[in-house]
Structures are given as C-alpha cells and as structure tokens.
Amino acid sequence: MKNKVLTVAIAAYQVESYLAKTLDSLLLPDVLEALEVLVIDDGSTDGTAALAKQYEEKYPDTVRLVSQENGGHGAAVERGIKEASGEYFKNIDGDDWVDEEGFRELMRYLIQNEDRIDMISTPYEMVDHHTGKRMKQITEQIDGVQYGKIYSFTNICDDIYVNMHAVTYRTKFIQEHMPPLDHHCFYVDAEYVLLPVPFVQTIVFLEKPVYQYRLGLDGQSMNLRNMQKHYSDHEKVLNRILEAYGAQREIAATVWKRGSKEDIDRQAALCRYMAKGAAKLAASQIKVYLSFPASSQQKDRICMLEQQLLQEYPEVYEANQNKAVSLLRKSRYRLYRIASWAVQRKLT
C-alpha cells in the first residue's frame, strides 16, 4: 500500500451490521489505486473483524484490517493515525459512510493538488437512521469562500469551526502534532479537532458534502440519555480542552511580550478559536446537567462550572454562543428549574 494519497481509518467496534455500507461507499473503482482503508477493530466480539477480513481479501491493495484490544474510540483513532501511510488522513466511524460524489471530489483534489495543506474542510450531512432521509447539512465556511483556495488558518478561523466529521488532515501533520487521545472515554472528538489547532497553518474548503453521519442510533454517545450515563467522560474531555486552551493562552502571552505583530495576531487568533471550541463543550456539559431531574446538586454543578470559567478562563466564558446558557446567566440561574424541565421534556 505505497504511494497512497488518502488513508481513511474506520474506527470499528461492534459494527457488523453497518460496516459493509461504510466500506462499499469508499471502495469506488476509480479511486482504489490512491486510497488506503484501515479498519481498526477495537476489540469487537461480533462479526466486525471477520467482515473486514473479507474485504481485505477482496481488496488486498487497498483494505487492511488492524485488530487491537478494546481501548475506546480514542484508542481506535490513535491507532489509525499511527498506521496511516497515505499523504492525507480522514477518520470515519464504522456506522457512518461517505457520499460518493463528495468523496470523489475530495480524492480528485488531493490527487491533483501539489501543495501540502494541513487541513481540508468539507460539508457533512446528518442522515436519519430509520428513514434514510438526509436531515441536515452542516457547512462551516467563510462568506465568499473560494473552493480549493489555500487560506491561512488564522486569517479566517474566527468565522469557522471545523469538527471531526468535516476535517481531513495531512497525515504527517497529524502524526507529529496529535497528542495521545484519552482511552476508554467518550467525546474525544473534541480532542481530535482542538488539540492540534496551535500548529495548523493552512486550510482548504471543498464544496460537496463527504461524511454521512447516521443519526438516531440508540447507542450513540451524543444521545442525551447516553450523555447522562457518560457525563464524567464529557467532564474529563472538557477539562483537558480547558487545560490546552490555558497552555495556548500562556504561549500567546509570551509572544505578546517579544513577538512580531504577525506572531502576536496569529497566537491571538488561535486563542479565540480554542476558546470558541471550549465554550461549545461547556455549553454541552451544562445541557447534560440540565437533563437530570432538577436538584440543588445539579444546579451547583452548573454554577461551579460557570464560576470556574469566569475566574480561570474568562475568554471561554465570554465565547459562549448558546442561547439557553445566556438566559441562565441573565437570570442569575433563577431559570434553572424551567430550563431543566425544558431539556427533560426532550427525553420523554
């Protein structure tokens, strides 16, 4: 599998029922020569590995099964990064897939482009698991975007937020700058997209959606009941991102004292971007607390988090764009029980 342009790593755990759709969407005859597909079987006990092996035997120059003991989503993504040989890297969950037209556009761009870009952003779509209907397309891009143009990341990052479903990284970049992800932990998507940010120099936008995100599975981590179950994992990831933001803030402060204007502006932009990402996570954490039956304990958790942000990370506090959180603040949290009731209604 030498001289591959793109490695797609599939984080696969107990996805026997979905993996064929994932693989079939990738294995288009006209892109096979430039494509490497790694199925990272994270200790599945169903037929995930056996199915992946069948595809490996059918497409020996493209598909490779990598089996490991269960370590969670972070461990599977980490292994994919380590094993990747393609010039670029994209991660896909084993119950999702790609759109053929959008994937072809991505592959064409990577094959034809001679410049080396740190990050490529493509739209993605949410698809209802039960009906197959495309419910929503997420397109994070700047106004007047020129598709295929190489932008300086810090020149435009105030106007975007690139998440895991949208991003394709340059493999060498991600291998050099991605720190270890948390194992046996949900919500490491935020680590994947935010921890390498201080090193991103360039970004390109493409027009067509690639990632197809299956929405409505009972076991999905973003299901609110599952977020209740794993709320401590979300707290763990949030705290790690806050620490990473704090480290970036210290770098920016050092550069501000003796750096050039260009360096100062770059570090300030990176701080704002990371603060924006941390604020999104904090808002999700508050939503989880609101989803539990109203109690003084859950209200105290919200107030303690808010106080931590206000005192230790005021830029993150100010970066909040969540309307519910803003209303809670304006009411000095007197609307807590009403907000909790509103969130719990969505669970019934």
Side-chain angles (χ1 to χ4, degrees), residues 88 109-110 113-122 142 148-157 160 162 166-171 173-174 177 193 196-206 262 266 270 273:
Y88 289 89
Y109 179 81
L110 297 180
N113 180 63
E114 295 182 357
D115 296 299
R116 300 296 172 259
I117 304 109
D118 294 333
M119 178 186 288
I120 297 103
S121 176
T122 51
I142 59 174
K149 176 182 175 179
I150 300 174
Y151 290 91
S152 166
F153 181 76
T154 49
N155 285 349
I156 54 91
C157 66
I160 61 168
V162 183
V167 69
T168 299
Y169 285 117
R170 183 166 54 87
T171 303
F173 167 84
I174 204 68
H177 298 303
V193 297
V197 159
F199 306 98
V200 177
Q201 296 285 339
T202 53
I203 183 171
V204 159
F205 300 93
L206 299 182
E262 183 180 0
R266 171 176 167 77
L270 292 172
Y273 186 87

Side-chain angles (χ1 to χ4, degrees), residues 122-280:
T122 51
Y124 67 93
E125 295 177 318
M126 295 182 174
V127 183
D128 186 275
H129 166 61
H130 301 287
T131 66
K133 181 181 178 181
R134 296 184 180 186
M135 300 172 63
K136 188 176 183 181
Q137 180 172 305
I138 310 298
T139 304
E140 282 284 350
Q141 58 191 33
I142 59 174
D143 290 338
V145 63
Q146 295 181 45
Y147 297 114
K149 176 182 175 179
I150 300 174
Y151 290 91
S152 166
F153 181 76
T154 49
N155 285 349
I156 54 91
C157 66
D158 285 335
D159 300 318
I160 61 168
Y161 185 76
V162 183
N163 65 30
M164 193 170 193
H165 304 317
V167 69
T168 299
Y169 285 117
R170 183 166 54 87
T171 303
K172 186 176 181 181
F173 167 84
I174 204 68
Q175 288 174 339
E176 291 179 350
H177 298 303
M178 179 68 76
L181 302 173
D182 280 310
H183 291 196
H184 297 291
C185 183
F186 290 87
Y187 313 111
V188 296
D189 292 19
E191 297 177 0
Y192 182 78
V193 297
L194 285 172
L195 294 180
V197 159
F199 306 98
V200 177
Q201 296 285 339
T202 53
I203 183 171
V204 159
F205 300 93
L206 299 182
E207 182 177 11
K208 293 182 172 60
V210 176
Y211 200 109
Q212 304 290 292
Y213 177 62
R214 189 186 298 270
L215 198 63
L217 289 176
D218 290 338
Q220 282 180 318
S221 60
M222 294 309 294
N223 176 291
L224 197 50
R225 291 199 183 278
N226 286 323
M227 290 186 77
Q228 287 180 332
K229 184 178 179 181
H230 302 293
Y231 78 91
S232 60
D233 283 354
H234 200 281
E235 286 179 342
K236 182 179 181 179
V237 171
L238 171 60
N239 286 327
R240 186 171 184 192
I241 295 303
L242 288 172
E243 290 172 5
Y245 166 75
Q248 177 58 36
R249 184 175 58 185
E250 290 180 9
I251 292 171
T254 301
V255 171
W256 185 82
K257 293 178 182 178
R258 57 174 184 266
S260 66
K261 183 181 184 303
E262 183 180 0
D263 288 340
I264 291 170
D265 289 346
R266 171 176 167 77
Q267 295 303 324
L270 292 172
C271 277
R272 292 193 299 270
Y273 186 87
M274 293 190 72
K276 177 168 52 180
K280 288 176 179 287

